[in-house]
Amino acid sequence: MVQLDDDAIEVRRLIEVLAGQLQGGDSQWQVTLAQARAVADGMSQSRSKVDAQLRVANIDHVLSLNSGDVAQALAHLDRCVELIASVRDVDVDEADQRRLNEQEWGVRLNRCQVLQAMDDIDAADADVVFALELASKSDNVGRNRAMTLCSVAAIAAEREQWSRALTFAREAVDECARHAPASLAVALLNLAQAHARIGDYDEATRVADRAEGVIGDIQAQASLEHLRGYIAMGRNDTERAAELFAEYATTAAAHADQLEPHHRSESAKAVGFGLHAHDDVAGARTHYLSVVDEARSDASPMTLVAALVQASGATQDCALGAADTSEAGQLHAQAGELICEAAELALGAQRFSLAAVCDVTHVRYIDQFHREVTAANQQVLRRALAKVLAAAVYLHHVGFASSRHAERRHFAAQRSAEAFALAFALAFRLGASDVVAQLVELRCAAAFFAASPLARGVTAPTAGQPDEASSANIADLMVGDASTPLVDDGAALVVTAPPPLLLTADTVVLGDAFDVAEQRFGLSEDRDPVSTW
């Protein structure tokens, strides 16, 4: 078994102290880092020096990430992978191999998180599956698997697989409580965020309250403050959201050197929300547009999408409040350009639900600006109706991704309800009675029920089983084509969206909207149409 010398052990100790200082916001971390570098640079024994270099490179990735240089953070982690590979043939003892598995597991998990920050979800998938495999061959199987499940849940959310995100987030909480209590706060925050994303703000608040009791570092504290502001905003409690976002922005500014880069963009948007909430709409617009300019150089396209959405909202409000008709028209057009750019970026990143929501937002702007049908705006309104119909069809279908009634209800209230409301309003305004009739048919259609795998006698593994079958199950999830997950209570009916409906023998309900949803959002629907009730 490889024995490390005293200098390597000292570097390990200093890096552990440094990590604690970074988490706690202790400004002395720079002194500790200098000490660790000095010891590592002065080492001569090759095997021990590799270990020291590995630990310094790993902490360098944290510092680069916190400074906003995600590309450099990834480079440091790639260096870690190279260092571990360089001693795989030297450390041949079984205990040494398990120790290297432990080290590479941490590096792969960190790479996954950096790649998520860069919105490279496919590459993050590959690393998180690799990390799961390494976790099962390490000395801390339970802890390492629990911590990895946090990233599995986060990636499912990034893929807009809301039900699976909740399933794995719940499992991560359970596993962290048993095996990795230091990561329990992160797991709880992931679960709370997953609930908030589908619009279940009561459950998100309950889980956030639980997380608050176990938070022990500034990263988690900042994430909690941002989450509470997001929940208040989702509840349309603008005043409370502004207060919470102000607290979050203050925390982010005070600990800028210790926080991951996404907190910079999020806190900047939080400042704009405060301006907007306090009726400084012009100031909010100016602020958001500056955030957009900064986000254009960000490694994450989703950072730019979020900034564009906020800037478009403030610009639209300026348009609605403008006294000059010409100025109002220019501002409204700019709001449309901003939200349409956000939608196209979301489509490029395969965030189809987000893109559909952006389309709904654009139609809302048009609906607000053109309250009456005229010869000049009739075509604009008809195009808006076609756009919102496609979004409504898509959001209606993806809302059935969960077999839990509460999750479907919250998702519908959060996303598809406004799409249907706008579609009805525009169809009525345009006198499109045929569209109104088809909307009623789709809105009233019953869900489609099928037997779950257990009901059909098929046994499938859960993510909690650290075996080959379980790893394959999670690998399926990562590439986005896993089968419908098992229902917790055994054999049951699985709910899906209704199949296409026949209004008449040769007319499919909202057939054109289905076609657009398939082309624009990748809606997959290969079932034959059925007659409506």
Side-chain angles (χ1 to χ4, degrees):
M1 182 173 178
V2 172
Q3 297 293 325
L4 300 178
D5 64 21
D6 291 343
D7 284 341
I9 293 172
E10 174 63 5
V11 170
R12 179 183 299 184
R13 185 191 70 81
L14 288 168
I15 294 300
E16 289 175 352
V17 171
L18 172 59
Q21 290 172 329
L22 286 173
Q23 289 182 341
D26 187 341
S27 60
Q28 289 299 304
W29 65 267
Q30 292 175 314
V31 175
T32 307
L33 176 61
Q35 293 172 343
R37 287 195 194 283
V39 175
D41 291 344
M43 294 173 64
S44 57
Q45 204 272 13
S46 60
R47 180 61 190 86
S48 290
K49 186 162 187 172
V50 168
D51 189 84
Q53 290 174 326
L54 173 63
R55 295 180 186 279
V56 171
N58 200 23
I59 205 69
D60 279 340
H61 116 265
V62 175
L63 298 174
S64 294
L65 188 60
N66 290 353
S67 71
D69 191 347
V70 290
Q72 188 60 46
L74 189 62
H76 286 307
L77 291 172
D78 289 342
R79 173 61 174 156
C80 290
V81 172
E82 293 172 2
L83 289 168
I84 293 170
S86 72
V87 294
R88 281 285 185 186
D89 294 335
V90 177
D91 298 0
V92 294
D93 185 88
E94 182 180 353
D96 288 332
Q97 287 291 312
R98 293 186 74 82
R99 179 175 48 79
L100 289 174
N101 289 341
E102 182 87 15
Q103 291 178 324
E104 187 169 359
W105 162 80
V107 171
R108 292 291 179 178
L109 190 59
N110 287 334
R111 283 188 93 254
C112 167
Q113 292 162 353
V114 170
L115 289 164
Q116 282 179 260
M118 300 172 73
D119 287 318
D120 191 346
I121 304 303
D122 290 337
D125 286 352
D127 268 328
V128 81
V129 173
F130 200 167
L132 281 167
E133 181 182 355
L134 289 166
S136 68
K137 301 175 183 178
S138 65
D139 290 325
N140 297 285
V141 176
R143 184 204 68 177
N144 295 348
R145 184 175 178 77
M147 294 173 66
T148 308
L149 282 172
C150 292
S151 288
V152 172
I155 289 174
E158 292 298 327
R159 287 208 181 275
E160 298 184 337
Q161 297 173 332
W162 314 115
S163 182
R164 289 189 172 100
L166 284 164
T167 297
F168 286 108
R170 291 187 188 102
E171 185 173 355
V173 168
D174 293 342
E175 293 295 310
C176 285
R178 283 195 292 269
H179 303 295
S183 298
L184 181 57
V186 172
L188 286 166
L189 286 170
N190 275 351
L191 179 57
Q193 288 164 352
H195 281 296
R197 283 189 173 194
I198 66 167
D200 189 353
Y201 300 118
D202 290 343
E203 187 62 17
T205 299
R206 189 190 69 78
V207 178
D209 290 343
R210 184 180 169 194
E212 188 168 18
V214 295
I215 282 177
D217 63 75
I218 193 61
Q219 291 280 2
Q221 180 61 38
S223 295
L224 175 65
E225 291 177 1
H226 179 265
L227 174 61
R228 291 201 184 281
Y230 180 88
I231 291 171
M233 181 175 67
R235 285 173 164 161
N236 294 319
D237 188 347
T238 303
E239 183 175 347
R240 180 59 178 154
E243 293 174 1
L244 292 167
F245 278 138
E247 293 174 9
Y248 165 65
T250 300
T251 298
H255 301 280
D257 292 338
Q258 288 83 42
L259 293 176
E260 293 176 359
H262 73 272
H263 286 294
R264 292 178 180 80
S265 58
E266 293 298 336
S267 61
K269 287 185 293 180
V271 171
F273 186 91
L275 293 169
H276 204 162
H278 292 102
D279 295 327
D280 186 1
V281 182
R285 173 175 174 266
T286 300
H287 177 82
Y288 281 136
L289 289 174
S290 70
V291 174
V292 167
D293 289 340
E294 292 179 11
R296 292 193 184 282
S297 61
D298 196 281
S300 166
M302 290 302 99
T303 298
L304 177 55
V305 170
L308 287 165
V309 171
Q310 298 280 30
S312 74
T315 303
Q316 173 69 4
D317 283 350
C318 286
L320 296 176
D324 181 74
T325 303
S326 176
E327 180 187 8
Q330 291 173 1
L331 288 167
H332 170 66
Q334 185 187 28
E337 292 169 359
L338 292 167
I339 198 64
C340 287
E341 182 182 356
E344 294 306 312
L345 286 170
L347 287 172
Q350 296 189 323
R351 305 301 207 278
F352 298 120
S353 291
L354 177 57
V357 170
C358 288
D359 281 356
V360 173
T361 302
H362 184 212
V363 174
R364 186 203 316 141
Y365 295 166
I366 294 170
D367 175 68
Q368 290 171 337
F369 199 73
H370 299 285
R371 301 305 296 172
E372 296 181 359
V373 180
T374 66
N377 68 21
Q378 187 176 65
Q379 289 306 311
V380 171
L381 291 172
R382 290 195 179 280
R383 286 193 296 270
L385 176 59
K387 174 179 279 194
V388 79
L389 286 173
V393 165
Y394 179 75
L395 293 172
H396 180 67
H397 269 61
V398 297
F400 284 88
S402 174
S403 284
R404 294 172 182 260
H405 170 67
E407 292 174 12
R408 298 196 305 275
R409 184 179 68 249
H410 288 301
F411 185 93
Q414 176 77 356
R415 288 175 171 81
S416 61
E418 183 183 13
F420 274 101
L422 283 167
F424 273 115
L426 288 174
F428 273 118
R429 197 177 307 165
L430 288 164
S433 57
D434 57 330
V435 174
V436 173
Q438 293 178 62
L439 282 167
V440 170
E441 292 284 353
L442 180 60
R443 203 72 167 120
C444 295
F448 181 79
F449 294 89
S452 70
L454 278 181
R456 299 195 304 269
V458 177
T459 301
T462 67
Q465 299 171 333
D467 56 15
E468 292 183 6
S470 180
S471 295
N473 190 38
I474 295 180
D476 285 343
L477 162 67
M478 293 298 95
V479 296
D481 59 1
S483 58
T484 302
L486 299 178
V487 178
D488 294 343
D489 297 327
L493 291 175
V494 175
V495 179
T496 61
L501 307 172
L502 286 173
L503 187 65
T504 64
D506 56 357
T507 303
V508 176
V509 170
L510 299 177
D512 290 342
F514 266 94
D515 292 341
V516 174
E518 288 176 352
Q519 296 166 10
R520 184 165 176 78
F521 307 118
L523 176 64
S524 178
E525 180 54 81
D526 55 6
R527 294 173 293 178
D528 293 331
V530 299
S531 298
T532 71
W533 56 276

